[in-house]
């Protein structure tokens, strides 16, 4: 197994700590980051998900301030990933994000969110159909924020327009997607048809996407275009039980399936990067070099391309 030095572009929490919790303390955050480091994560993006703009800004500000208070945090926090609120409100595509806080992209709100991070927001996941003009995508690119499509049912032309405006990736392919879609013209096939133009993040826990399908997508997209993310929530690294993401109750069973207690949708993962590394080694035949690309190199290259 390659020496663990994972880069994780999407971490909502871990080891019993929810980064979207308003009661998050410096000590709890620091402790979770230490345990992520011990798990082999050398750099990651704490992720703030859809909520009221005030709540999102408050959480972004808090984490960016925490990161400045400690050398270890400064080193391992590569920035903040904001997932929402400019995503699809449609059931299935919205996933477990609170639909009442989802909205069309707005430049002034996007600037408010990145201002709250004082330069630390490095990634934004939005639905291209919520940014039809491409104005927010283009401005974020100029602000050195990597814009990813996700929680979206964008048409092929909306995706292509997004790419023309600066879209660089697609967040957790196969998730944030309705259970039933058109047999040909669906979001997964559209993204596969645009391969080479987008970096694709994948949750490799064996729960979010079946192993055979994950392997098939990596083969089609090319391992140099795929990035493994944990999309971890507070249950990652913890025993089965009930956990929270942004106040929502999530039940985790013994096979690490994360289910929203009310509607049953998957809500983040209960796996850490080392869990995913072990899972890939046991279930998929992917060699060391390719794993290094999936777990580290491609994410570093992507953030490097976006700029400091
Ligand atoms: Zn998501």
């Amino acid at each position: 197994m390659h020496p663990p030095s994972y880069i994780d572009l999407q971490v909502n929490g871990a080891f019993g700590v929810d980064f979207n919790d308003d009661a998050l303390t410096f000590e709890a955050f620091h402790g979770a980051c230490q345990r992520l480091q011990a798990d082999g994560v050398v750099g990651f993006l704490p992720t703030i998900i859809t909520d009221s703009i005030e709540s999102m800004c408050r959480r972004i500000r808090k984490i960016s301030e925490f990161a400045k208070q400690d050398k270890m945090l400064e080193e391992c926090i590569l920035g903040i990933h904001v997932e929402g609120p400019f995503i699809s409100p449609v059931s299935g595509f919205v996933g477990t994000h609170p639909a009442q806080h989802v909205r069309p992209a707005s430049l002034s709100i996007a600037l408010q969110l990145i201002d709250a991070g004082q330069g630390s927001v490095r990634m934004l996941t939005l639905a291209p159909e919520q940014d039809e003009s491409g104005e927010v995508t283009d401005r974020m690119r100029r602000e050195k924020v990597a814009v990813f499509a996700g929680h979206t049912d964008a048409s092929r032309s909306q995706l292509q327009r997004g790419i023309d405006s600066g879209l660089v990736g697609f967040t957790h392919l196969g998730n944030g997607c309705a259970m039933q879609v058109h047999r040909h013209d669906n979001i997964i096939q559209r993204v596969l048809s645009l391969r080479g133009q987008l970096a694709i993040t994948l949750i490799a826990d064996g729960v979010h996407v079946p192993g055979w399908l994950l392997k098939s997508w990596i083969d089609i997209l090319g391992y140099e275009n795929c990035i493994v993310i944990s999309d971890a929530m507070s249950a990652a690294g913890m025993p089965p039980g009930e956990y929270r993401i942004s106040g929502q109750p999530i039940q985790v069973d013994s096979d690490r399936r994360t289910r929203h207690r009310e509607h049953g949708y998957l809500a983040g993962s209960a796996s850490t990067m080392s869990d995913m590394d072990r899972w890939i080694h046991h279930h998929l035949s992917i060699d060391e070099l390719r794993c290094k690309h999936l777990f580290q190199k491609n994410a570093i290259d992507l953030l490097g391309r976006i700029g400091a």
Side-chain angles (χ1 to χ4, degrees), residues 165-186:
S165 303
L167 198 66
V168 294
F170 195 90
T171 291
H172 55 47
L173 184 66
N175 298 107
C177 177
M179 292 295 279
Q180 304 292 330
V181 292
H182 188 278
R183 67 188 184 282
H184 297 147
D185 188 3
N186 63 58

Side-chain angles (χ1 to χ4, degrees), residues 10 83 97 151 171-172 231:
Q10 193 161 349
E83 193 190 37
H97 289 242
H151 291 271
T171 291
H172 55 47
D231 196 12

Side-chain angles (χ1 to χ4, degrees), residues 210-224:
W212 58 267
L213 183 55
L214 197 78
K215 179 68 167 55
S216 174
W217 285 346
I218 293 170
D219 288 344
I220 293 166
L221 293 161
Y223 68 91
E224 66 281 11

Side-chain angles (χ1 to χ4, degrees), residues 36 53 77 127 140 155 163 169 182 208 228 231 235 241 244 255 291:
L36 284 168
I53 302 306
I77 295 171
M140 291 300 102
S155 67
I163 291 168
H182 188 278
H208 281 73
V228 169
D231 196 12
R244 304 232 150 215
D255 66 0
C291 276

Side-chain angles (χ1 to χ4, degrees), residues 3-307:
S5 47
Y6 312 119
I7 303 290
D8 192 348
L9 299 180
Q10 193 161 349
V11 187
N12 309 288
F15 299 104
V17 179
D18 177 13
F19 298 163
N20 284 268
D21 182 355
D22 278 329
L24 178 70
T25 63
F26 177 79
E27 289 69 30
F29 183 69
H30 189 269
C33 296
Q34 273 179 322
R35 293 186 71 178
L36 284 168
Q37 260 197 336
D39 190 63
V41 177
V42 294
F44 72 100
L45 303 184
T47 301
I48 298 303
I49 67 165
T50 305
D51 206 318
S52 68
I53 302 306
E54 299 70 38
S55 296
M56 292 181 78
C57 286
R58 197 169 53 243
R59 293 166 192 165
I60 292 166
R61 194 173 301 116
K62 182 192 266 192
I63 287 184
S64 71
E65 278 164 14
F66 282 171
K68 290 183 209 144
Q69 288 173 36
D70 179 275
K71 194 161 170 46
M72 180 273 286
L73 295 180
E74 224 169 34
E75 278 169 16
C76 71
I77 295 171
L78 306 179
I80 293 175
H81 178 170
V82 179
E83 193 190 37
F86 315 130
I87 56 172
S88 169
V90 177
S91 175
F93 295 97
V94 74
T96 51
H97 289 242
Q100 72 272 24
H101 293 303
V102 167
R103 57 170 73 217
S106 140
L107 187 55
S108 66
I109 292 172
L111 290 173
Q112 245 179 284
L113 292 166
I114 64 164
D115 284 351
Q118 300 166 308
S120 63
V121 174
R122 302 294 312 281
M123 189 164 166
L124 173 70
T125 292
L126 54 68
E129 67 270 36
Q130 291 280 46
D131 185 33
E132 280 281 3
S133 70
E135 185 188 24
V136 169
T137 301
D138 177 56
R139 180 60 185 269
M140 291 300 102
R141 170 182 54 177
R142 288 189 280 123
E143 298 285 344
K144 302 188 188 308
V145 175
V147 184
F148 274 55
H151 291 271
T152 173
D153 192 22
S155 67
R156 204 170 174 287
S157 58
Q158 284 168 329
L159 284 168
Q160 189 61 64
R161 268 205 302 279
I163 291 168
D164 296 341
S165 303
L167 198 66
V168 294
F170 195 90
T171 291
H172 55 47
L173 184 66
N175 298 107
C177 177
M179 292 295 279
Q180 304 292 330
V181 292
H182 188 278
R183 67 188 184 282
H184 297 147
D185 188 3
N186 63 58
I187 189 66
I188 295 165
Q189 301 298 345
R190 292 173 211 138
V191 171
L192 293 179
S193 79
L194 295 165
R195 63 189 170 278
Q197 299 186 65
L198 295 169
I200 310 294
T201 69
L202 298 163
I203 307 172
D205 62 352
V207 171
H208 281 73
V209 180
W212 58 267
L213 183 55
L214 197 78
K215 179 68 167 55
S216 174
W217 285 346
I218 293 170
D219 288 344
I220 293 166
L221 293 161
Y223 68 91
E224 66 281 11
N225 295 312
C226 297
I227 298 173
V228 169
I229 52 162
S230 70
D231 196 12
M233 46 85 72
S234 58
M238 299 294 282
E242 186 163 302
Y243 295 88
R244 304 232 150 215
I245 181 166
S246 195
Q248 301 182 71
I250 311 297
Q251 285 172 334
V252 180
D253 58 26
S254 55
D255 66 0
R256 293 207 173 118
R257 193 163 280 277
T258 56
R259 287 196 181 285
H260 193 287
R261 194 174 64 199
E262 280 137 35
H263 49 62
Y265 281 120
L266 283 169
S269 91
S271 294
T272 65
M273 287 298 258
S274 75
D275 292 331
M276 295 194 182
D277 194 1
R278 275 190 297 278
W279 183 82
I280 280 196
H281 273 83
H282 287 147
H283 294 92
L284 313 182
S285 52
I286 297 181
D287 64 35
E288 294 286 311
L289 178 70
R290 287 180 165 79
C291 276
K292 192 171 180 191
H293 277 78
L294 296 173
F295 281 92
Q296 184 199 66
K297 186 177 184 304
N298 296 344
I300 292 175
D301 289 352
L302 180 109
L303 292 175
R305 275 201 305 280
I306 299 308

